[in-house]
Amino acid sequence: MTTLRLDDLRQYSDVLRSRSGEVVNVRFVEPRDAEALQSYFRALTARSRYNRFLGAASELPPSLLEEFIHTGEADRFSVVATMLIDGRETIVGEARYAFDSDNASIEFGLSIDDRWQGHGIGKALMNNLECRAASFRASRLFGDTLRSNDAMIALARKSGYAFVNTPGDWKLVRFQKDIHVEPQEIPCASWRLAAISPSAMSSLAA
């Protein structure tokens, strides 16, 4: 898949549910999200930021923030999970994933606002990422995390991921899952449509 246009990206949003039923919207990041996204990362605990970026960071570096907000370039995509809190759209989680056509795989990383961890949002977001991976015809979805990141390891285990050593880095562990879903069987309606509709697929191409 090639670079996507912002007007096409806006078609692809999903409605998820927390464990207790709260509505969680997942959509692609847009340039207008820059300030809110940076505020989200600054508000994470130091431990959560460390786990997300595999090292100490107080915020997104400007170059990385630019990559986050210009989603779709070079088959790299950023999404935010938002909820209406006190009448305002509020980011409660995010994910970034990249498609590698050479080995038909998608690599991803994600984080959930510390105040909303334990509400099932992470698992719902991972399920959504599986739909997105299937729409690419990816055969594998994987991520790397610190061996000390018990929360991410537990989430991946509950979501059915297998664990292997991360090549070249003993501090990390890789969680991975094979994707065996036919396009017409993708459980997320918007991504099932993107995968099986020629018109939808052509609209995704830049």
Side-chain angles (χ1 to χ4, degrees):
M1 209 175 275
T2 55
T3 302
L4 307 190
R5 299 189 304 268
L6 180 58
D7 57 342
D8 292 324
L9 291 176
R10 286 175 175 152
Q11 301 178 55
Y12 293 94
S13 299
D14 298 296
V15 177
L16 313 181
R17 295 279 179 176
S18 70
R19 185 174 293 116
S20 55
E22 293 102 338
V23 172
V24 181
N25 292 291
V26 177
R27 61 171 177 80
F28 284 112
V29 173
E30 300 180 26
R32 66 180 174 89
D33 296 313
E35 184 177 347
L37 190 62
Q38 188 67 280
S39 295
Y40 165 82
F41 282 116
R42 288 170 178 160
L44 292 177
T45 62
R47 181 178 180 83
S48 288
R49 284 195 304 272
Y50 191 92
N51 285 336
R52 177 64 174 92
F53 298 114
L54 310 180
S58 59
E59 63 179 19
L60 280 176
S63 59
L64 188 53
L65 179 59
E66 281 295 306
E67 292 180 13
F68 264 81
I69 65 175
H70 291 98
T71 190
E73 295 181 357
D75 285 341
R76 297 177 180 272
F77 306 87
S78 305
V79 298
V80 285
T82 69
M83 298 175 64
L84 276 180
I85 299 176
D86 296 329
R88 297 182 61 184
E89 183 188 41
T90 303
I91 297 174
V92 297
E94 57 78 32
R96 185 160 169 79
Y97 60 97
F99 177 60
D100 184 343
S101 58
D102 291 339
N103 56 28
S105 66
I106 280 186
E107 180 178 5
F108 75 97
L110 62 81
S111 68
I112 302 297
D113 185 313
D114 292 85
R115 294 165 295 181
W116 287 95
Q117 291 178 16
H119 289 254
I121 296 174
K123 190 171 190 302
L125 185 54
M126 288 183 76
N127 290 340
N128 185 256
L129 290 172
E130 290 180 27
C131 291
R132 293 166 184 262
S135 74
F136 276 91
R137 274 55 166 200
S139 60
R140 185 173 67 116
L141 189 64
F142 74 95
D144 295 310
T145 194
L146 293 164
R147 292 183 180 274
S148 59
N149 189 353
D150 295 336
M152 187 68 230
I153 290 171
L155 174 60
R157 182 173 288 115
K158 285 190 293 186
S159 298
Y161 284 71
F163 294 85
V164 298
N165 292 327
T166 297
D169 197 329
W170 63 269
K171 300 186 299 296
L172 304 180
V173 63
R174 175 163 294 179
F175 47 94
Q176 59 185 25
K177 189 174 191 177
D178 292 335
I179 304 294
H180 300 295
V181 180
E182 293 299 321
Q184 64 272 18
E185 297 175 353
I186 296 173
C188 309
S190 61
W191 297 103
R192 182 168 63 249
L193 175 64
I196 67 178
S197 168
S199 60
M201 291 305 289
S202 63
S203 73
L204 283 171

